[in-house]
Amino acid sequence: IMAFLISPMIVPIIITAAGIFAYYSKYHLAYTDLGIILAHAVLGTPFVIIAVTATLTGFDTQYLRASYSLGARPIKTFARVVLPLTFPGIMTGALFAFVTSLDEIVVVIFLASEEQITLPRLIWSGIRQEITLTIRHRKVPTGLENLLQIWEKQALNLWGNRSSAIDPSKIG
């Protein structure tokens, strides 16, 4: 079951996107908002599964027994014991899933229509079509600053080597 749940992470994204598109086309989910949401959920699931599984690996069942022995019901035990202990893993998985969702332009290209503007598509179009002169002008000063820093470091090293070569006992 674990291999099936993390398979979207293992299979190359272009194959996953083509497979999702073919499957969604049968059920008229391609080019819909629900289709995009479900695809991103499927692609983010492995990150959540791995993070929560890692958290649950170190989970001590003695906490559950203690909670039950003190009279807590299963829902209260989950809310007061299990959830706080697994919350870091859940949030880590959610963060990874969110960041992965921002990066999944291939799925959006396959599944979204022209009218559907998602954040990955907006970022991609900004990178591909709207490279402004501001970016180009910022790269030149940064390159010159780096070059000046290298020259400065070389000059200081050269000056430092000359000054260390002077023997103080031979000075006048």
Side-chain angles (χ1 to χ4, degrees):
I1 248 178
M2 188 69 155
F4 175 73
L5 290 174
I6 65 169
S7 64
M9 184 185 254
I10 299 168
V11 177
I13 192 65
I14 189 79
I15 295 171
T16 303
I20 291 173
F21 178 76
Y23 183 77
Y24 280 9
S25 294
K26 291 179 188 176
Y27 299 103
H28 306 289
L29 283 172
Y31 309 119
T32 65
D33 291 335
L34 179 62
I36 294 172
I37 292 169
L38 289 175
H40 282 287
V42 165
L43 294 173
T45 300
F47 295 100
V48 177
I49 296 289
I50 289 172
V52 172
T53 302
T55 303
L56 287 175
T57 300
F59 187 75
D60 189 6
T61 57
Q62 295 294 329
Y63 294 124
L64 296 176
R65 290 185 191 146
S67 176
Y68 290 140
S69 72
L70 293 172
R73 298 195 181 260
I75 292 175
K76 195 164 202 162
T77 299
F78 179 78
R80 300 267 175 116
V81 177
V82 176
L83 193 60
L85 290 173
T86 58
F87 188 73
I90 293 168
M91 290 309 296
T92 302
L95 181 65
F96 279 131
F98 176 74
V99 170
T100 301
S101 180
L102 287 178
D103 189 41
E104 294 302 342
I105 184 64
V106 176
V107 173
V108 172
I109 288 173
F110 270 87
L111 295 178
S113 66
E114 290 293 323
E115 295 83 32
Q116 291 174 308
I117 305 296
T118 62
L119 190 56
R121 180 178 270 180
L122 193 63
I123 292 170
W124 179 255
S125 68
I127 290 172
R128 295 228 32 230
Q129 296 170 359
E130 298 174 12
I131 297 178
T132 62
L133 291 176
T134 307
I135 296 171
R136 291 182 190 165
H137 289 310
R138 181 62 195 139
K139 286 184 181 178
V140 171
T142 303
L144 290 176
E145 290 169 4
N146 291 340
L147 190 59
L148 287 174
Q149 287 176 353
I150 291 170
W151 285 342
E152 179 183 16
K153 191 172 186 176
Q154 290 297 326
L156 288 174
N157 284 340
L158 183 64
W159 184 73
N161 288 340
R162 286 184 183 169
S163 63
S164 64
I166 299 173
D167 187 10
S169 62
K170 294 183 181 177
I171 297 177

